[in-house]
Amino acid sequence: MMKRLRGRNLAHPGCLIGVTAGLSLGIIFAGVLALQNVALNSVLLIWLGLTVGLGAIGWITGARLTSRFPAGEEVASLGEKTGES
């Protein structure tokens, strides 16, 4: 799997993972806060903050990891190795 990620910008998958985690945790946390009779505006702001915050953390982490996995050497296809067209 890591061979597929080499040479690609990992910020986009990192952001996707962060937003997905933020939505999931935000919904659970918002449900708990709603049961505690917290104001709806506060619940929505906390949910939005969790979603955007974890998405941003995922983006930054993915961007940092991109430099750790540079593109490897490309392997020539079988036709190019044997000289066939």
Side-chain angles (χ1 to χ4, degrees), residues 2-84:
M2 289 309 296
K3 288 182 182 180
R4 292 169 138 191
L5 294 176
R6 289 203 175 276
R8 300 187 189 277
N9 186 353
L10 300 178
H12 299 289
C15 183
L16 176 66
I17 292 169
V19 167
T20 304
L23 288 173
S24 301
L25 293 175
I27 289 171
I28 293 169
F29 194 58
V32 170
L33 289 176
L35 289 174
Q36 300 296 324
N37 292 327
V38 177
L40 180 62
N41 288 342
S42 300
V43 172
L44 291 175
L45 285 174
I46 291 170
W47 172 77
L48 180 65
L50 238 117
T51 301
V52 172
L54 287 177
I57 289 170
W59 180 274
I60 293 167
T61 303
R64 300 268 186 212
L65 287 176
T66 298
S67 62
R68 297 184 71 194
F69 299 108
E73 294 180 18
E74 300 240 354
V75 178
S77 67
L78 292 176
E80 292 176 5
K81 281 186 178 178
T82 60
E84 297 173 10

